[in-house]
Amino acid sequence: MSESLVVSASGIRGIVGRGLTPDIAARYGAAFASHVAATDPDSGVVLLGRDSRVSGPALLDAVASGVRAVGLDVCDLGIVATPTGLMAVADDEDAVGGLLVTASHNPAEWNGLKLVSREGRFVTPAAGRDIQRRFEEGVEYAGPWDIGARTSREGATRAHLSRILELPIVDRGRIRARGFHVALDCVRGAGGLILPELLQRLGCRVSGLDLEPDGRFPRPPEPLPANLGRLSELVVATGADVGFAADPDVDRLALVDETARPVGEDWTLALAVELVASREPGPVVTNLSASRSIQDAAERVGVPLYRTPVAEANVVARMLESGATIGGEGNGGVIYPGLHMTRDASLAAALILQFLTESGCTLGQIVDERASYRIVKRTVPREGLGIEETIAAISAAAPRGTERDVQDGIRLDWPDGSWIHARPSGTEPIFRIMAEARGDELAHRRADWVDGLVRGAG
């Protein structure tokens, strides 16, 4: 396999034409179909969807061919948000799984596949390993009379919208009465097909930026504060109450306040936790890289918080195990079991508007009155790094009194509330470093310390 292809808990990603080619996509489609046929006694259809990337149509055609060549039918949903695709699988009695052609927040030259179980969730690590084995070893293809059929259908996005608007926790009347003005940046991803209509149906006036879903991203598509300059400018120019930015496959939502300040992706989940857990008390689950602001939100409403390794599948598994009422990842991904078990930027937008409605405050006021943390994120190329040796070096250098968690890389927590998390990325060939503290200087000092240890281990 090409070294440029990154295999993660939920699928694969690679640079198109190098790590990821139509041949690779077809073989993964076949491996997925072979896994489904071997593990699911019911025959059925595999739902397909994609984000707006320019390479999407060709790769989706290749995936469809691979699935059909094993003998399963496919149904093409077209361009859909990732949570829309997962919901469609869960709601379709005939669906035995799904394949979504997307590289989420990765740059435009990347694409990938997300693998979906018939329950509408990303496949388990065990299922992912079996699919990978079938990809590497080869599968048995169907004979000429047993090739699967291909169909298409519309309506998945409309169904998703309706389900969000019908949630009891979303008070459409009260939100409409607030008359929010929202500046919206969809980075020319799939969000342009769902977020503007959702906001309009919630009574918002929308000032849009890059809503066309053509995949020609005008900026780095990950909704990090450094990438949201044009959205901040739009908030100022239009006098918007709040700014929303989604990633290309619409499972992450970042926020910009009324002063044009990007407040950081972690606040999306923190405010959703405070809203939902105050109404539906129960455990909160997030990953090891999530901000302490999320833990503070859980403590504010008196519910426990559990942490898992990074990756949505890990968070979902712990949510199901613990009976969590809300969870997600600190990258702007909110999972609400009252809708479905996946990160969903459209859902997050509705919950944030509900929170703002009930608080009667602006986003900036809400953030300012809560504990402020400075989070620093860095990356180091993985080439030349021994992962186990790197983690061992950090652990050995950990100061006395720090708490260690080695579920995923290593996380160290200091008594003063600051922490670092260092781990190999599951979606890119890099080593991720995160540090957080109440002050900017301490956060950078923690990040410098672990950055030096990682680079020194290379």
Side-chain angles (χ1 to χ4, degrees):
M1 185 189 303
S2 168
E3 293 182 359
S4 301
L5 192 69
V6 180
V7 180
S8 71
S10 60
I12 59 169
R13 296 186 197 185
I15 296 175
V16 175
R18 290 169 50 190
L20 181 60
T21 62
D23 173 62
I24 294 289
R27 287 172 55 198
Y28 258 97
F32 178 82
S34 173
H35 166 80
V36 168
T39 57
D40 196 321
D42 299 323
S43 60
V45 63
V46 175
L47 302 189
L48 307 179
R50 64 181 180 90
D51 68 19
S52 64
R53 291 167 192 266
V54 175
S55 59
L59 292 173
L60 187 140
D61 286 345
V63 170
S65 295
V67 174
R68 295 174 62 201
V70 173
L72 296 186
D73 297 339
V74 300
C75 179
D76 182 359
L77 303 176
I79 298 178
V80 292
T82 287
T84 302
L86 270 69
M87 178 178 286
V89 173
D91 290 347
D92 189 331
E93 293 182 356
D94 295 326
V96 291
L99 288 163
L100 302 175
V101 178
T102 176
S104 190
H105 63 272
N106 288 59
E109 63 268 26
W110 288 69
N111 215 326
L113 286 177
K114 289 187 175 182
L115 316 176
V116 185
S117 72
R118 72 177 304 150
E119 294 81 17
R121 301 193 290 268
F122 293 126
V123 298
T124 64
R129 288 190 293 271
D130 184 61
I131 293 165
Q132 182 67 25
R133 177 186 63 80
R134 293 171 187 272
F135 170 81
E136 294 172 356
E137 297 178 359
V139 303
E140 182 177 346
Y141 290 98
W145 314 116
D146 297 317
I147 299 296
R150 179 171 181 172
T151 59
S152 63
R153 77 165 187 247
E154 300 178 349
T157 297
R158 289 194 300 274
H160 186 182
L161 273 171
S162 296
R163 291 273 293 279
I164 293 173
L165 294 169
E166 291 166 0
L167 289 170
I169 201 167
V170 177
D171 189 330
R172 295 171 61 183
R174 288 187 65 187
I175 294 174
R176 291 181 69 87
R178 276 292 301 267
F180 289 105
H181 181 183
V182 178
L184 175 65
D185 179 1
C186 291
V187 74
R188 295 181 177 263
L193 296 177
I194 185 168
L195 279 165
E197 183 175 351
L198 171 69
L199 295 173
Q200 288 162 6
R201 289 175 66 176
L202 288 170
C204 301
R205 180 157 61 96
V206 178
S207 295
L209 182 65
D210 295 314
L211 304 184
E212 305 86 348
D214 61 13
R216 301 186 182 278
F217 310 145
R219 59 164 176 80
E222 190 167 12
L224 301 175
N227 299 333
L228 301 182
R230 291 177 64 221
L231 178 60
S232 294
E233 292 172 1
L234 184 63
V235 169
V236 172
T238 63
D241 299 305
V242 66
F244 289 159
D247 68 335
D249 73 331
V250 210
D251 59 5
R252 295 168 58 175
L253 185 77
L255 309 177
V256 172
D257 75 11
E258 71 283 358
T259 70
R261 172 183 55 170
V263 301
E265 296 171 288
D266 295 276
W267 279 106
T268 307
L269 180 56
L271 298 183
V273 163
E274 193 168 335
L275 172 71
V276 173
S278 65
R279 302 271 200 85
E280 305 170 25
V284 174
V285 178
T286 191
N287 65 42
L288 289 166
S289 283
S291 170
R292 187 175 175 86
S293 62
I294 298 165
Q295 182 175 330
D296 288 350
E299 291 173 354
R300 189 172 290 113
V301 294
V303 298
L305 179 137
Y306 304 125
R307 293 188 182 271
T308 74
V310 173
E312 180 174 326
N314 297 320
V315 175
V316 167
R318 188 66 187 274
M319 289 180 70
L320 292 169
E321 174 188 303
S322 65
T325 58
I326 186 73
E329 298 192 283
N331 58 12
V334 175
I335 303 171
Y336 176 49
L339 181 65
H340 58 171
M341 296 297 292
T342 187
R343 295 176 301 164
D344 187 338
S346 300
L347 163 73
L351 295 179
I352 294 300
L353 292 176
Q354 183 70 37
F355 188 99
L356 294 176
T357 296
E358 294 186 9
S359 72
C361 299
T362 67
L363 176 61
Q365 290 169 338
I366 292 165
V367 171
D368 287 342
E369 72 181 17
R370 285 155 176 75
S372 177
Y373 299 98
R374 175 70 168 103
I375 194 162
V376 177
K377 301 180 182 182
R378 298 182 186 173
T379 61
V380 178
R382 195 190 302 176
E383 185 177 356
L385 286 178
I387 301 304
E388 292 184 3
E389 293 82 358
T390 301
I391 293 170
I394 297 170
S395 182
R400 183 174 300 174
T402 55
E403 295 182 7
R404 294 172 177 80
D405 190 317
V406 292
Q407 292 183 78
D408 180 10
I410 184 168
R411 174 171 166 138
L412 299 177
D413 283 83
W414 276 258
D416 61 11
S418 62
W419 58 268
I420 63 94
H421 187 205
R423 55 177 286 273
S425 171
T427 58
E428 298 175 73
I430 56 177
F431 205 86
R432 295 190 183 276
I433 294 170
M434 297 184 68
E436 186 179 55
R438 284 187 178 268
D440 189 73
E441 190 218 345
L442 181 57
H444 276 284
R445 195 160 75 240
R446 298 286 189 231
D448 290 342
W449 176 78
V450 72
D451 192 314
L453 288 169
V454 171
R455 294 180 188 276

